Amino acid sequence: MLRRAAAAAITLAMTTSATTASAGTPAAVTGPDSTSVLAARQEPGRPIRRSPAGPTSQLEGAGKAFVLRYTTTSSLGEVVAATGLVLVPEAPTPDAGWPLVVYAHMTTGAADICAPTSDQVPAGEDTRLAQQGDDLARALLAAGVVVIRPDYEGLGVPGGHPYLQGPALATSLIDMVAAVRRILPLNGRWVAAGHSEGGVAALHVGDRRLRLVPGMTLRGIASFTPVTRMEVLLQALQPTPVTVPRVTQGLTSLAGLLVKGLAVVDPHFRRLVLRRGGLSERALALWPHLERRCLTGLSASDSWGGIAPRDILGPRGEEAAAYLRRELDRIDVRHIPMREVPIRIDEGLLDLVAPVAFTEALVKTYRDRGFLVTHGRWPAGHSPTNSQEQAVPASVRWMLSLLSGPPKRTHRSSPPHP
């Protein structure tokens, strides 16, 4: 994939200091509200400022809830701003500090209003998607675990969102862990978790090529319904000549997000789809919707959901589609060179977004490579799998066992069980 580092400095509001918290109170992260230049040498993983969490980000069981703006490295190599929610348990701070889970959310869209912490997410289905991790967060908070929930690169801040680009998503998670460590007393143990797109993000945290946070030990990775083999789904969808309610509408909106996500990180692909005939005129006319609407709006009949899959492509559509499929295959979660950390994958047996056959093949691939994988199967669809009624209780028990016990470094495979 083509990449280039930006030479110019960027602007954003930032602080000049952040100290370690004590007695369970987050350290003050202050700074001017007006924009100032963020030097190119600025480190990622630094807190910029914090602000109160909005109404849709409040959660019972959180003694403190605030939105943290922090620095991260973008998919183009820039140091940029990102945002995320920090939830601190009501219980007193442990003497050794808090354990931590970073939770990556499922797909909400690529527009700034789709950032879960923005409180601008449209009411209804989009809000439900943004809050799908609430059951997990409540259970972890009750167990005395700090939960942080990044918005991802380009959501709620300037810049594009590299949708489903696993390395970029994982970087947002890792850098938020580093930033939170500067303002909260943590005990050094953490787990990466996520759902759907976030499940991809969490698994990519396990990539041994990515640098983790010094002084913090990654104890495990929990992935709910991670999407895999999207290139196969796209190829199967591509020839469909008509729209099919509740089938193609959601998939064509996801296809638009996939095209947009690769265009954010790959200038050649961006030129191909926007200037050189990769997309049809109708798809080009709806391109701005990807920066204005969340997933439900994109799936509507007046947006990407109203395009028959075959009509998305332009004169050079086959070239663009093949390019996209190659890139999706290259960064697919099944190819990640994993660290020696336990992995948990929970799948929904009724999942149409992350089909059972693909998830089962992913688990087998990891086990064949010697990774320690716990596998949960649940009688649910894509979103409900990540709920208190399905996978959450078992997943939380698994996470807590890792956060409280000695790290497991064996490569033995474990039998599938919830």
Side-chain angles (χ1 to χ4, degrees):
M1 184 182 299
L2 301 176
R3 293 180 183 268
R4 56 186 175 85
I10 62 171
T11 60
L12 51 86
M14 65 177 295
T15 183
T16 57
S17 65
T19 57
T20 302
S22 62
T25 302
V29 182
T30 59
D33 289 332
S34 59
T35 58
S36 59
V37 173
L38 177 62
R41 66 178 180 272
Q42 175 70 34
E43 287 184 80
R46 296 270 182 174
I48 298 171
R49 68 169 181 262
R50 65 186 178 101
S51 55
T56 61
S57 296
Q58 297 290 341
L59 204 63
E60 55 269 33
K64 300 177 182 66
F66 60 94
V67 175
L68 180 68
R69 182 176 286 246
Y70 63 98
T71 57
T72 187
T73 302
S74 77
S75 49
L76 295 179
E78 304 168 332
V79 177
V80 299
T83 53
L85 177 66
V86 179
L87 299 167
V88 183
E90 294 175 334
T93 306
D95 292 340
W98 301 102
L100 179 141
V101 169
V102 55
Y103 173 80
H105 63 82
M106 69 185 302
T107 299
T108 55
D112 283 343
I113 63 168
C114 309
T117 64
S118 72
D119 279 324
Q120 299 179 52
V121 179
E125 179 66 7
D126 288 314
T127 296
R128 185 195 66 75
L129 296 176
Q131 296 176 330
Q132 186 64 46
D134 284 3
D135 282 357
L136 182 71
R138 278 188 287 263
L140 290 168
L141 288 167
V145 178
V146 167
V147 179
I148 62 176
R149 301 169 71 162
D151 287 329
Y152 303 145
E153 176 188 340
L155 289 185
V157 291
H161 172 50
Y163 177 68
L164 218 61
Q165 297 291 313
L169 298 174
T171 298
S172 294
L173 273 60
I174 294 167
D175 287 342
M176 188 171 183
V177 171
V180 170
R181 183 170 180 261
R182 293 177 178 273
I183 60 173
L184 286 181
L186 303 177
N187 68 11
R189 300 172 179 176
W190 67 292
V191 166
H195 178 203
S196 190
E197 179 184 8
V200 170
L203 288 170
H204 275 275
V205 168
D207 189 335
R208 61 173 177 261
R209 296 168 297 185
L210 295 180
R211 186 173 184 268
L212 296 182
V213 183
M216 297 285 290
T217 302
L218 178 66
R219 290 300 191 97
I221 296 168
S223 183
F224 298 88
T225 63
V227 290
T228 179
R229 302 308 304 265
M230 287 299 291
E231 76 281 0
V232 175
L233 288 176
L234 287 180
Q235 189 163 22
L237 179 71
Q238 185 177 323
T240 308
V242 295
T243 59
V244 181
R246 298 185 180 182
V247 179
T248 64
Q249 287 181 296
L251 291 175
T252 52
S253 62
L254 291 177
L257 289 171
L258 286 167
V259 173
K260 179 72 161 57
L262 182 55
V264 167
V265 302
D266 190 328
H268 169 74
F269 183 73
R270 182 178 180 85
R271 289 191 294 270
L272 176 60
V273 296
L274 294 184
R275 302 178 187 174
R276 298 177 180 173
L279 291 180
S280 67
E281 290 187 7
R282 187 174 181 191
L284 287 173
L286 293 173
W287 185 265
H289 285 199
L290 297 169
E291 284 291 348
R292 297 174 187 166
R293 297 189 178 193
C294 297
L295 191 58
T296 302
L298 291 174
S299 301
S301 58
D302 67 339
S303 189
W304 285 79
I307 310 179
R310 188 178 64 183
D311 296 336
I312 293 174
L313 301 178
R316 295 178 66 179
E318 290 297 332
E319 179 184 350
Y323 193 104
L324 175 60
R325 291 195 301 268
R326 284 196 301 271
E327 286 303 305
L328 290 173
D329 175 71
R330 186 182 67 81
I331 62 171
D332 190 82
V333 291
R334 69 189 189 281
H335 300 314
I336 300 171
M338 284 287 185
R339 308 173 191 276
E340 295 184 28
V341 295
I343 301 167
R344 180 183 176 96
I345 294 177
D346 286 290
E347 70 173 327
L349 299 177
L350 307 177
D351 197 332
L352 299 179
V353 179
V356 168
F358 292 169
T359 307
E360 296 278 339
L362 175 64
V363 171
K364 183 178 186 302
T365 295
Y366 283 172
R367 286 180 170 161
D368 288 348
R369 290 165 60 189
F371 303 139
L372 180 67
V373 182
T374 299
H375 183 197
R377 299 180 177 95
W378 306 92
H382 190 66
S383 290
T385 295
N386 180 19
S387 69
Q388 185 65 27
E389 292 73 28
Q390 302 291 337
V392 164
S395 183
V396 167
R397 288 193 298 269
W398 182 86
M399 291 186 222
L400 294 178
S401 72
L402 296 176
L403 290 170
S404 60
K408 298 178 182 178
R409 298 190 180 278
T410 178
H411 272 203
R412 290 184 301 102
S413 293
S414 64
H417 62 277

